[in-house]
Amino acid sequence: MKGLLYWFLGKASIRKKLVISFSVLVCIPILVLGVFSYNQAHRNIQAQTLSTTQSNLARLISEMDTRLQKEVDYTKYLAYNLNFRRALEIAAKNPVQLARQLNQNVEPMLWYFVASDSYISNMNIYSPNVGHSIGPFLKPDADFAEEDWYISHQKNFNTVWSFEKGRLFATRTVLDTGTSSRMIGILRAEIYLSLLLEPVESMKYMNNGVMLADQNSRIVYQKNSGNHTLDSLAVDYITGKTDENKAEELAFFEEGELTVSGWKVYYYVDKAAVTQQLTPIIRSTLIAVGLCLVLVLGLISWLSKLLSGRIMSLKTSAEQVAGGNFTLVQHTEDTDEIGVVTNSFATMAGQLQTMIDRVYKMEIDKKTTELKALQAMINPHFLYNCLSSLKWRAIYKDDEEMAHIAGLIAKFYRTSLNNGKQITTVRNEMENIKTYIELQQIMHKNSFEVVLNLQQEYLETPMLNFMLQPFVENAILHGLAYYEGTKGQGQLEVNFSVQQEFLVFEILNNGTRLDTARIDAILNKPGKGYGIYNIQQRIDLYYGKGSGVAAGVDDRGFTWFKIKLNKEKADV
């Protein structure tokens, strides 16, 4: 962490610092907002689910109470029917009268209720006053006297609901007509459980589960949620095998009581299903947060690039100034800190340019003065030798050769001095070299041959004056002098060509081979007079990068010097 902080504060670029800083400052609020939105949505959905669960339970209880109350009313009506009660009272005394009552009044009434009420599957009356079954409805109670539901009606005269072996029954005590306190029979109606529980089956909300339990906490009906673990936990909760807290960890549990039957209704919704409802919200939140982050990061990247671009532009200008180019730095209308620094830097660069121009001009003037001085006193030793040769030839030989030599000398000095101008053409420079070589051949009794290879179409190209003579002189005096007196053995090559943007001159000779140390000394150390080192200095001063002098020995054993001059800068 310390190393990362050190990198951020010290080594990271301005753009990276801006991007990281802005990203952290912007992303944290967006992420916090996203988390807050998710939590709020989660709480709202839970509250909505709980409210819906309570509402559904209340509606379910209301609908089932209505259906149960209808059956209670039917059983109550039948149990209090006077003809029905009188028939049961006379059953033991007058079977004929009982049969008449059943046929005329009771059975049609019972058939009417069974046929008209779609919830009633079957109906029976169990009475201690009959010894055998009479008709489809009236039966003796001897076989059921020990049943719980039968015993309960000895004291309870209301309609009682019971669930036995998957069958639902509504039972009610039939009382005597005289005192209405003595049991003369029990009306027992079997109810279609599936029809009665239609509201439960139709209650589908987020894979909800519903359970009905009777007064003894026995499960009468169970509609599973689809989550086996949760359904098992609900059973354990209803039967008292687990506590409410554990059940509520997995589901929303609500319970209510059916007023008519006294049964409990348990309604529960899996919390995992609620969480699944959050998936679209989470997805939408993530998409929204992602889009915001992309937009913000894009804007941050653009702003950081804009700001760092101005800094990098200033950096580029500084590098150009360091390289000697003071013209790229421009003033700006911006008034912020970067603009102030840019304008200050531009002012500094302008002042440096002015100072350098002043010093550069002084240097040029100095070099020009030195060159003129050199041109005024070029190699007096060579001039003395030439004049001495003329003298002796004049004594021993009277011919026109002396006049030719004198003419060559005059031409050489004329092309060398170039009327005091520094700029000449390649053609004039070649004429100077040709004149100089011809004089040297005369002096050395034609002991070497000369090969000229000149690219004719570029002979009018401008170049600095008096650039090649020191190289030719070096080749003759320090190379070809080896062949003095041996006619035709030495060879001097002068080549000129244009390669890309450079004028290229090559001076080669097959004389004494120079070693690497000697070549390095010639190129990089000043001599006694105006030599190759001075040429190198002039090239650096006038032509700059890419131009210069190189030397070596080729495969033939020829020592070569190569001079490269940028032809685009020859008009300085």
Side-chain angles (χ1 to χ4, degrees), residues 366-479:
K366 179 181 178 183
K367 292 292 182 180
T368 302
T369 303
E370 292 176 353
L371 180 60
K372 289 181 177 180
L374 287 169
Q375 288 175 335
M377 52 181 180
I378 290 176
N379 206 341
H381 180 69
F382 166 70
L383 179 60
Y384 173 80
N385 287 340
C386 288
L387 294 176
S388 178
S389 296
L390 287 174
K391 175 183 177 181
W392 286 105
R393 286 180 181 274
I395 294 174
Y396 292 104
K397 192 174 183 179
D398 184 14
D399 87 32
E400 296 179 358
E401 184 179 10
M402 295 303 104
H404 177 62
I405 294 173
L408 289 174
I409 294 174
K411 182 178 180 181
F412 172 72
Y413 276 97
R414 177 176 55 80
T415 55
S416 296
L417 295 175
N418 194 33
N419 295 321
K421 298 178 181 179
Q422 293 193 62
I423 301 301
T424 185
T425 63
V426 175
R427 184 184 300 280
N428 290 339
E429 187 74 4
M430 287 295 114
E431 288 298 322
N432 178 263
I433 295 305
K434 289 178 184 178
T435 304
Y436 179 79
I437 291 174
E438 189 172 351
L439 286 170
Q440 289 290 354
Q441 282 183 312
I442 294 172
M443 292 176 60
H444 290 81
K445 301 178 181 180
N446 294 315
S447 62
F448 60 90
E449 296 179 352
V450 179
V451 177
L452 298 175
N453 297 306
L454 308 178
Q455 193 169 343
Q456 298 295 318
E457 60 267 31
Y458 290 99
L459 291 178
E460 300 303 327
T461 305
M463 64 175 291
L464 282 177
N465 185 41
F466 204 69
M467 295 291 288
L468 304 180
Q469 187 274 339
F471 294 96
V472 175
E473 180 180 357
N474 181 78
I476 295 173
L477 297 182
H478 300 288

Side-chain angles (χ1 to χ4, degrees), residues 57-105:
L57 178 62
R59 181 163 58 89
L60 180 62
I61 290 176
S62 176
E63 290 186 10
M64 289 196 65
D65 270 341
T66 300
R67 297 189 180 204
L68 290 173
Q69 186 62 48
K70 175 184 175 183
E71 303 310 316
V72 169
D73 292 342
Y74 282 168
T75 57
K76 184 177 180 180
Y77 173 80
L78 291 173
Y80 279 97
N81 184 273
L82 187 59
N83 291 329
F84 179 43
R85 294 162 67 189
R86 287 174 178 175
L88 289 181
E89 285 179 330
I90 66 173
K93 301 176 181 179
N94 190 345
V96 175
Q97 183 66 25
L98 173 63
R100 185 181 296 113
Q101 287 288 338
L102 290 176
N103 288 332
Q104 293 179 356
N105 299 312

